[in-house]
Amino acid sequence: QSALTQPASVSGSPGQSITISCTGTISDVGGYNFVSWYQQHPGKAPKVMIYDVTNRPSGVSNRFTGSKSGNTASLTISGLQAEDEADYYCASYTSSSTRVFGTGTKVTVL
Amino acid sequence: QVQLVESGGGVVQPGRSLRLSCAASGFTFSNYGMHWVRQAPGKGLEWVAVIWYDGSNKYYGDSMKDRFTISRDNSKNTLWLQMNSLRADDTAVYYCAKDRWGRWELPSPYFDSWGQGTLVTVSS
């Protein structure tokens, strides 16, 4: 049950787009369309930004989009804003009926 | 609105036990799976365990098997995590989280609501 692999950090200037990758295996990311993404600001609980690979919950900005190809899922943030600076985690359902998180990515707005 | 309130955290010596609670409100508790997720200081999120809506199935993360037990009482809208043989590396904020995958719904397994967490510190 290894953690999904994410880049440790990604940065961009305001208005730019950034993409965070999340790599797993056929037993998790590649096997199901059940990848979700969470935003976490310091000292706060995580908040879901994307679920089922591409879906946005009500109230989440359409600047956040999700996708998947094979065993790798991606979160793209377009029109980067200062408030987007946070930690981001992917998560996936697994073939063992468990869940697994990604290693986490710190997004910095330059 | 959904509210999840964890309690029971604190400082505990290595090898001892602790039980965390999560009081749920604002939704039909008995219709949804529930999870525990933890986060060590300065580290990432780690999935701990899930219990199905009716308690019929429970699954655990590899490092928690045989030491942690997840349970629930749907009549009390409460979720618990019994933690035994605690180790220093169990030190973390423990979050209670609701699964979006409901009893009567198509599969959509993600964490749609979270509590604020309770800190467990394992130290002598």
Side-chain angles (χ1 to χ4, degrees):
Chain A
Q1 202 174 39
S2 298
L4 308 175
T5 301
Q6 297 181 231
S9 63
V10 174
S11 62
S13 299
Q16 286 187 331
S17 293
I18 62 168
T19 297
I20 304 168
S21 61
C22 169
T23 301
T25 69
I26 190 64
S27 297
D28 38 63
V29 174
Y32 306 90
N33 287 324
F34 293 146
V35 175
S36 49
W37 289 90
Y38 302 86
Q39 177 191 64
Q40 187 181 34
H41 287 108
K44 300 295 186 181
K47 171 189 173 184
V48 62
M49 306 302 283
I50 295 288
Y51 67 94
D52 296 352
V53 178
T54 60
N55 297 326
R56 265 188 314 275
S58 173
V60 171
S61 171
N62 59 9
R63 298 184 299 104
F64 292 84
T65 58
S67 62
K68 191 185 86 167
S69 178
N71 294 338
T72 298
S74 298
L75 173 70
T76 297
I77 309 174
S78 57
L80 200 61
Q81 299 180 0
E83 67 207 50
D84 300 332
E85 187 161 294
D87 294 324
Y88 290 83
Y89 297 90
C90 60
S92 177
Y93 181 79
T94 81
S95 59
S96 303
S97 300
T98 61
R99 312 295 170 86
V100 61
F101 281 101
T103 50
T105 298
K106 181 176 181 60
V107 169
T108 301
V109 181
L110 301 171
Chain B
Q1 73 279 19
V2 174
Q3 191 168 14
L4 301 171
V5 179
E6 303 94 337
S7 61
V11 180
V12 60
Q13 293 180 328
R16 303 297 291 265
S17 299
L18 201 63
R19 189 175 83 154
L20 306 181
S21 300
C22 171
S25 60
F27 66 103
T28 305
F29 183 71
S30 59
N31 282 351
Y32 292 92
M34 296 294 296
H35 300 260
W36 288 99
V37 175
R38 71 182 184 181
Q39 187 169 34
K43 302 297 184 183
L45 299 173
E46 181 180 20
W47 180 79
V48 173
V50 62
I51 184 168
W52 282 24
Y53 65 93
D54 59 356
S56 61
N57 285 287
K58 307 172 185 180
Y59 300 95
Y60 299 90
D62 287 343
S63 62
M64 299 79 171
K65 284 178 186 174
D66 304 322
R67 295 192 303 125
F68 290 8
T69 301
I70 189 171
S71 60
R72 65 191 296 161
D73 186 334
N74 286 342
S75 68
K76 297 181 179 178
N77 288 354
T78 302
L79 174 74
W80 292 285
L81 184 68
Q82 176 69 41
M83 303 185 294
N84 299 330
S85 302
L86 282 163
R87 312 184 300 224
D89 63 357
D90 293 317
T91 294
V93 172
Y94 285 75
Y95 293 102
C96 160
K98 173 183 169 291
D99 202 319
R100 179 62 183 86
W101 189 356
R103 180 179 183 183
W104 307 112
E105 301 169 14
L106 293 173
S108 185
Y110 68 96
F111 314 100
D112 67 347
S113 299
W114 299 68
Q116 284 306 302
T118 186
L119 177 61
V120 172
T121 302
V122 183
S123 173
S124 55

